[in-house]
Amino acid sequence: MLITNGIVITWEDENRVLEGYAVRVEGSKITHVDKQSLLLEKFPHDEILDANGQLVMPGNICSHTHFYGAYSRGMAIPGDPPAHFIQILEKLWWPLDKALSRQSIEASANVCILDAIRHGTTTLFDHHASPSYIEGSLDEIYKVVELSGIRASLSYEVTDRNGIDQADAGIQENIRFANYIQKHKPLDGRVSSTFGLHASLTLSNETLEKCRKSIPDGIGFHIHVAESEADEYDSLSKYGMRIAERLDKFGILGSKSILAHCVHVDAKEMELIAKSNSWVTHQPRSNMNNAVGMAAVESMDSLGIKVCLGNDGFSNTMWDEWKAAYLAHKSWHHDPRRMNGTLVAKIAGKNNRELVHNQFGLEVGIIKPEAHADIIFVDYHPFTPITAGNLPWHILFGFNESMVTLTMVDGKILMKDHEIITMDEKRVYSEAKKLAPDVWERYQSMLKEK
Ligand SMILES: [Zn+2]
């Protein structure tokens, strides 16, 4: 297939904006990026996919999300609003994840993945929790990944908050799923796994030790770290050390591990994280919503920590997360020089791409020969020049979610001309809607039970 008449944005380390070029896709991979006239001459029998003047660029990557949070959409939390992070967990997320059944796990994954395809997000790292349906929960999400054509890394959040039996069930779910993926390597590498852990404040030493001992070779952990001060205070008061030191002691840090948030880590913890080559993922919209502060992303970047960009379950328009990152740090520090657009682009582009390479062993998030064809079309026609140098500011101030018209993963078109091809959008929404009253009712009863 030849993608013609587009403006190609490659997102290579030296990013290029190419006019008059075409991209050739064969099977799941890009084979050529070259002058359109040359490729048309060389491959006269190729099917043509006309981009019609749109931008042709790599699909977005989301390094931390929670499909299970879908049913929080439109939810007004009953009673007094939560006053701090722990109350947000207790009043919203914990009763909501307990309310999920097999069907509502599937429906949550369906609506989130559909949203991702619609908004050009082609790889997501999901962190799942459903205490009332643990064993087999990752299979429910896997089925949606399989049918939708998206690329995803899955994990189950192990926690002690519902007792040892459920912590053990979470451990087993991670092991079972990781072993399946490693043995069968299904979906041509479109699916991967990490070992999910909720957060230091809900994990005992005994459980961390079990996780360290049982994690299958070749994968890392995916855990919330120091999202709020409460997580650090808990670690200091119970264990006499800060979170990163505690996680290091239990072998949780490492070059395959993903640490979400790291808002309250101190300089020593940052050094530990840098030394261990762990990945950090930043979710500024979530941090603002929970009023937990802002991670020292610029310092982490200077220390050589690879900071990535996730959405923590917010909408899958990753450009909205770009914008939040760009604005939030300026506002937080009262300084317009903070969080340069090139750093946002490095985090969301280069670092997210390298994370996928690290976790899936694949090259995506870049348009070059041999990379996997995860590509989107963006219907953006700026009235100012667009260059590799100023592209971040076009994305920050010009792009919006409705501009994605085509989404492709592994060379397969999942959405064309805004129409989702691999999923029945009407059915997905009507089935999710049918389950919503029951999920919300169960949420209310879990909230009272607490
Ligand atoms: Zn999260």
Side-chain angles (χ1 to χ4, degrees):
M1 177 198 299
L2 266 186
I3 301 172
T4 58
N5 298 327
I7 297 168
V8 180
I9 293 168
T10 64
W11 279 129
E12 294 156 298
D13 286 348
E14 285 290 323
N15 194 13
R16 292 186 296 160
V17 177
L18 305 171
E19 293 202 44
Y21 276 63
V23 178
R24 183 166 185 273
V25 174
E26 192 179 321
S28 62
K29 287 189 174 175
I30 295 165
T31 60
H32 298 73
V33 181
D34 213 332
K35 290 258 168 56
Q36 181 162 316
S37 51
L38 279 178
L39 290 181
L40 281 170
E41 203 178 306
K42 209 165 166 188
F43 302 100
H45 304 298
D46 273 8
E47 182 193 337
I48 300 287
L49 182 60
D50 190 341
N52 198 18
Q54 298 180 85
L55 305 183
V56 174
M57 54 195 287
N60 290 307
I61 295 161
C62 171
S63 56
H64 177 74
T65 196
H66 301 283
F67 299 151
Y68 79 76
Y71 279 101
S72 65
R73 173 91 55 101
M75 193 185 262
I77 301 171
D80 291 335
H84 52 75
F85 181 66
I86 299 298
Q87 281 190 2
I88 295 172
L89 294 176
E90 288 173 348
K91 288 187 151 202
L92 177 59
W93 300 117
W94 290 352
L96 178 62
D97 68 18
K98 269 192 201 161
L100 295 177
S101 62
R102 187 196 69 71
Q103 291 90 338
S104 45
I105 294 167
E106 184 190 357
S108 298
N110 261 323
V111 294
C112 289
I113 289 174
L114 199 142
D115 184 61
I117 294 172
R118 176 155 297 293
H119 299 129
T121 300
T122 48
T123 301
L124 301 109
F125 289 78
D126 188 54
H127 203 225
H128 175 69
S130 52
S132 306
Y133 189 92
I134 299 174
E135 189 188 345
S137 58
L138 297 181
D139 292 348
E140 295 304 316
I141 304 171
Y142 171 88
K143 276 191 270 176
V144 183
V145 172
E146 178 177 21
L147 295 173
S148 65
I150 205 91
R151 195 181 300 285
S153 161
L154 308 184
S155 62
Y156 188 90
E157 286 182 22
V158 174
T159 176
D160 285 312
R161 81 180 137 99
N162 303 307
I164 289 179
D165 288 351
Q166 287 205 6
D168 287 343
I171 292 172
Q172 287 313 314
E173 181 63 0
N174 279 309
I175 296 172
R176 184 190 68 75
F177 188 73
N179 285 339
Y180 173 78
I181 299 298
Q182 292 193 347
K183 188 168 172 206
H184 299 282
K185 300 191 173 36
L187 313 185
D188 301 321
R190 262 201 302 116
V191 67
S192 171
S193 71
T194 57
F195 195 116
L197 300 171
H198 172 246
S200 173
L201 83 170
T202 69
L203 290 160
S204 66
N205 284 346
E206 293 70 30
T207 298
L208 284 181
E209 184 58 24
K210 276 187 209 166
C211 295
R212 180 232 296 262
K213 281 189 177 149
S214 60
I215 186 168
D217 287 341
I219 66 166
F221 293 97
H222 185 170
I223 178 172
H224 294 120
V225 173
E227 182 172 359
S228 92
E229 289 101 330
D231 203 6
E232 286 287 6
Y233 292 147
D234 179 88
S235 182
L236 282 165
S237 66
K238 285 189 193 149
Y239 312 105
M241 64 186 87
R242 294 184 72 96
I243 297 168
E245 295 174 83
R246 181 169 183 241
L247 296 182
D248 189 40
K249 198 176 136 203
F250 285 97
I252 306 297
L253 304 183
S255 63
K256 287 266 175 185
S257 289
I258 304 170
L259 317 180
H261 301 299
C262 294
V263 177
H264 295 280
V265 293
D266 71 5
K268 193 174 167 199
E269 289 180 285
M270 279 191 225
E271 248 182 43
L272 261 177
I273 293 167
K275 225 167 80 187
S276 69
N277 290 318
S278 305
W279 301 77
V280 168
T281 169
H282 181 46
Q283 290 71 225
R285 284 185 293 179
S286 162
N287 296 156
M288 287 192 283
N289 187 45
N290 292 332
V292 290
M294 275 289 127
V297 169
E298 293 154 306
S299 304
M300 291 188 215
D301 180 67
S302 318
L303 273 171
I305 296 173
K306 293 222 171 104
V307 182
C308 301
L309 196 69
N311 67 16
D312 215 11
F314 271 67
S315 75
N316 292 295
T317 310
M318 288 308 291
W319 299 321
D320 284 352
E321 204 71 45
W322 280 58
K323 292 169 196 179
Y326 187 73
L327 301 175
H329 288 264
K330 291 173 172 43
S331 175
W332 180 254
H333 294 287
H334 300 267
D335 186 343
R337 293 167 296 187
R338 302 300 293 262
M339 203 56 159
N340 192 285
T342 51
L343 181 57
V344 182
K346 177 181 176 185
I347 289 168
K350 183 174 189 281
N351 291 357
N352 273 14
R353 153 162 58 92
E354 289 180 4
L355 176 67
V356 176
H357 189 257
N358 172 277
Q359 300 279 328
F360 289 75
L362 304 172
E363 198 138 39
V364 303
I366 189 165
I367 294 192
K368 69 170 197 185
E370 285 305 303
H372 283 251
D374 292 12
I375 293 172
I376 58 175
F377 288 3
V378 183
D379 197 11
Y380 178 61
H381 305 276
F383 51 84
T384 53
I386 184 166
T387 64
N390 73 12
L391 182 66
W393 288 271
H394 276 286
I395 295 177
L396 290 163
F397 293 102
F399 278 31
N400 68 54
E401 59 178 51
S402 62
M403 289 174 181
V404 180
T405 67
L406 179 139
T407 303
M408 175 191 288
V409 172
D410 260 356
K412 185 176 172 188
I413 297 173
L414 314 185
M415 178 177 80
K416 192 177 181 188
D417 298 328
H418 294 287
E419 197 183 318
I420 310 269
I421 291 168
T422 49
M423 302 176 87
D424 183 342
E425 189 167 13
K426 273 196 184 137
R427 197 173 58 85
V428 162
Y429 282 126
S430 76
E431 282 179 2
K433 206 170 166 182
K434 252 188 266 164
L435 296 169
D438 180 52
V439 176
W440 281 21
E441 207 173 291
R442 281 163 59 88
Y443 158 80
Q444 293 271 7
S445 59
M446 298 294 177
L447 184 62
K448 279 188 202 126
E449 228 174 68
K450 193 196 85 55

